[in-house]
Amino acid sequence: MRKKFLPFHLPSIGDEEIREVVDVLKSGWLTTGPRTMQFEQDFKQYIGSRYAIAVNSGTAALHLALEAIDLKAHDEVIVPTMTFAATAEVVRYFGAKPVLVDCSHDSFNMNTEEVGKYLKKNKGKVKAIIPVHIAGLPCDMDRIMDLASDYDLKVIEDAAHALPSKYKGKMVGTIGDITAFSFYATKNITTGEGGMVTTDDEEYAERMRMMSLHGISKDAWKRYTSEGSWYYEIKYPGYKYNLTDIASAIGIHQLRKCDHFHKRREEIARAYTEAFSEHETIIPPFVEPGNQHAWHLYIIQLDLDKLTIDRARFIEEMKAKNIGTSVHFIPLHLHPYYKETYGYSPGDFPEASHVYQRIVSLPIYPGMTDEDVNDVTDAVKDIVNKYGKI
Ligand SMILES: *Cc1c(COP(=O)(O)O)cnc(C)c1O
């Protein structure tokens, strides 16, 4: 057994990030400024989108996206039940209704057939769809974009896990109307807290930029530089969602390492899938040929019919072997707020309710050594061998 606990996640912060942060601290300019502008430039170039606006969280990114498409209180937004709190709460910020949909039977992504069925029965009510690329596995974007055009909807992608994901060769961040990324501490690249919105639409971009900083007219941050003036105008009551240059200093270097990080994540995923291939108690994740999985998470499903223990016990056994794991996610419809507000019950989303009992996320991050990876596969195999039904 491992001597030292393997955390479920550790960020990879190098000397480059540290040096750049120190430079910012010494520069006299801490908030949104030249580093953030550079981070935005680098990010839009990396993604291939026309615009990128840095914000202080992925949640802020989603909120600004819905504001830009002019979401109203009487509107509905289709959201997968299998996601994090943020994806649906931003809909509630407007007083609008998040309509939950089940996941598909072979991935944890939103079931587009269910989306189609709902739209057919509820014409005119839905304003947008928020597909979430769970773990970094791209959703069926062709189908989602077709539905959006058939029913005149906007597509806001929750790409918190999807850097760098590709759908049929296209970078996630260039497909839907607006895409939201997160740089939360556990995400594929991090700024501690932070996020980015990308879009090709100039109007959306201008609106989001303005609303990210109090709804103040353009280039408000320049007010305090030699180029700026004291004058500004409040065009709308906006938000305080701008990203600091301290955070962007980290982000600039994290982004440069993004492909390198991803390569390591792919290696780990490959090693896991290979190790579990002869164990029928474990259903590993997959990616369709032609698509790129970002491997933010590696989620296995336990075949509980073939095991004498449940998922909670599996996690305890992993912990006893000094390995941290997690669960992504507890579906929204099982949480008190959504249950009580919308009357959802577990049976409403049978796939998500079913897989929720069986999913475990294994550690997958660039800082893991080959030995760490072996320790994880050995631990998983030990447990399923010990508790397998014969
Ligand atoms: C992390 C995450 C978010 C929110 O990101 P923050 O930067 O923490 O606000 C949104 N959606 C999903 C699916 C996430 O995992």
Side-chain angles (χ1 to χ4, degrees):
M1 190 188 88
R2 288 179 63 91
K3 292 218 170 57
K4 223 177 118 215
F5 184 69
L6 178 71
F8 172 68
H9 176 78
L10 277 179
S12 292
I13 300 293
D15 289 337
E16 301 84 357
E17 285 87 336
I18 293 166
R19 249 183 270 125
E20 190 90 27
V21 167
V22 172
D23 284 352
V24 170
L25 295 176
K26 288 178 175 170
S27 75
W29 192 277
L30 306 185
T31 184
T32 309
R35 255 82 175 190
T36 303
M37 282 183 69
Q38 190 192 331
F39 187 32
E40 288 174 342
Q41 289 291 329
D42 294 353
F43 198 86
K44 75 179 189 197
Q45 202 162 16
Y46 182 78
I47 295 293
S49 61
R50 281 184 69 197
Y51 304 96
I53 295 127
V55 289
N56 58 18
S57 75
T59 308
L62 287 167
H63 183 193
L64 288 178
L66 293 180
E67 204 280 334
I69 64 161
D70 201 21
L71 188 68
K72 293 279 192 273
H74 55 78
D75 291 328
E76 294 184 350
V77 178
I78 293 181
V79 172
T81 186
M82 193 51 107
T83 187
F84 183 58
T87 320
E89 80 192 23
V90 291
V91 177
R92 294 299 303 138
Y93 292 178
F94 298 83
K97 184 182 175 187
V99 174
L100 302 184
V101 291
D102 208 352
C103 56
S104 76
H105 73 278
D106 60 350
S107 81
F108 309 115
N109 285 338
M110 120 195 303
N111 182 332
T112 52
E113 256 174 62
E114 294 295 322
V115 176
K117 267 192 236 164
Y118 185 85
L119 290 172
K120 202 166 182 182
K121 274 192 274 173
N122 297 273
K123 285 199 176 92
K125 287 191 195 167
V126 180
K127 174 94 180 186
I129 310 176
I130 311 183
V132 184
H133 310 288
I134 293 288
L137 179 76
C139 291
D140 183 353
M141 290 310 295
D142 279 350
R143 183 80 190 112
I144 290 167
M145 297 310 285
D146 280 350
L147 286 168
S149 100
D150 289 352
Y151 292 93
D152 194 22
L153 315 174
K154 303 299 177 197
V155 176
I156 311 295
E157 289 174 74
D158 181 337
H161 301 181
L163 184 69
S165 292
K166 283 181 192 166
Y167 176 76
K168 297 189 177 175
K170 273 184 283 190
M171 277 299 271
V172 166
T174 63
I175 304 167
D177 294 282
I178 304 174
T179 305
F181 293 91
S182 166
F183 311 130
Y184 179 67
T186 61
K187 299 290 156 71
N188 281 14
I189 72 165
T190 185
T191 58
E193 298 279 359
M196 191 81 76
V197 273
T198 61
T199 184
D200 282 349
D201 185 295
E202 188 177 358
E203 240 175 81
Y204 290 156
E206 274 178 13
R207 178 79 187 176
M208 291 189 289
R209 183 171 300 287
M210 183 177 69
M211 294 306 276
S212 73
L213 196 59
H214 302 301
I216 287 175
S217 51
K218 247 171 136 181
D219 284 345
W221 71 270
K222 277 193 187 156
R223 248 159 60 229
Y224 302 108
T225 69
S226 56
E227 298 159 64
S229 91
W230 56 270
Y231 186 75
Y232 64 90
E233 285 179 349
I234 301 163
K235 301 274 177 96
Y236 292 94
Y239 307 99
K240 183 67 172 75
Y241 282 163
N242 58 302
L243 191 68
T244 68
D245 262 24
I246 305 170
S248 295
I250 307 172
I252 288 165
H253 292 282
Q254 288 275 295
L255 185 63
R256 285 182 195 161
K257 299 174 188 176
C258 188
D259 287 338
H260 174 71
F261 286 165
H262 180 248
K263 221 172 126 234
R264 182 64 185 149
R265 287 177 180 277
E266 268 184 334
E267 276 170 17
I268 298 169
R270 216 176 295 126
Y272 281 169
T273 301
E274 201 178 300
F276 304 147
S277 61
E278 74 249 39
H279 291 262
E280 43 178 75
T281 42
I282 304 164
I283 306 163
F286 67 92
V287 56
E288 299 88 350
N291 288 353
Q292 178 171 288
H293 198 309
W295 295 113
H296 168 56
L297 300 170
Y298 189 96
I299 307 174
I300 58 167
Q301 257 192 88
L302 302 173
D303 188 343
L304 295 182
D305 297 337
K306 296 182 181 133
L307 290 169
T308 60
I309 55 171
D310 64 7
R311 188 265 315 274
R313 180 73 188 282
F314 179 90
I315 287 174
E316 275 169 40
E317 294 282 329
M318 288 294 282
K319 204 168 162 190
K321 290 179 181 293
N322 255 340
I323 291 165
T325 57
S326 192
V327 173
H328 298 87
F329 290 93
I330 304 167
L332 294 178
H333 72 276
L334 301 178
H335 287 281
Y337 174 77
Y338 292 97
K339 256 193 329 211
E340 285 156 23
T341 310
Y342 301 106
Y344 287 129
S345 67
D348 291 336
F349 307 104
E351 281 300 332
S353 300
H354 177 90
V355 298
Y356 166 58
Q357 301 292 332
R358 290 159 177 80
I359 47 180
V360 182
S361 301
L362 301 179
I364 182 166
Y365 48 96
M368 288 173 73
T369 65
D370 289 347
E371 217 179 326
D372 294 334
V373 175
N374 274 332
D375 288 343
V376 174
T377 56
D378 284 351
V380 170
K381 288 196 271 187
D382 269 4
I383 296 166
V384 297
N385 284 336
K386 187 167 167 197
Y387 296 104
K389 285 179 188 165
I390 309 142

